[in-house]
Amino acid sequence: MKLNFTYKMKGECKMFIIFNHEKLEERINTMYGNKEAFGKLMGMTKQRINSRLKSATDFTQSEIEKAAELLDIKPEEIPEYFFDIEVCRP
């Protein structure tokens, strides 16, 4: 899932950072059945939660903290759910 974030490398080469939220989506579906039910508990619309999961917009720190609490994610597990980084070059 693409994040709107670009690193400028030497010359014209750019590297795009992609966050993979598949594990987070699996946890949401396991615990709440669907993203819409989870989004309601988060105070977010279905569109807004989808935007976060697709990395069209970033999760805020407070959203990550609330989601971790709702999903019973330990603080040391947060990176594997929210910051699973894949790197690709164009």
Side-chain angles (χ1 to χ4, degrees), residues 46-83:
K46 183 179 178 181
Q47 292 79 16
R48 190 169 173 196
I49 195 74
N50 279 330
S51 176
R52 300 295 195 271
L53 292 170
K54 292 179 182 177
S55 293
T57 54
D58 298 335
F59 280 99
T60 65
Q61 183 174 347
S62 61
E63 290 169 346
I64 291 170
E65 290 169 355
K66 186 171 184 176
E69 183 179 326
L70 290 170
L71 295 167
D72 197 28
I73 296 172
K74 297 175 186 170
E76 62 270 15
E77 296 174 327
I78 288 174
E80 64 190 84
Y81 285 93
F82 291 91
F83 303 106

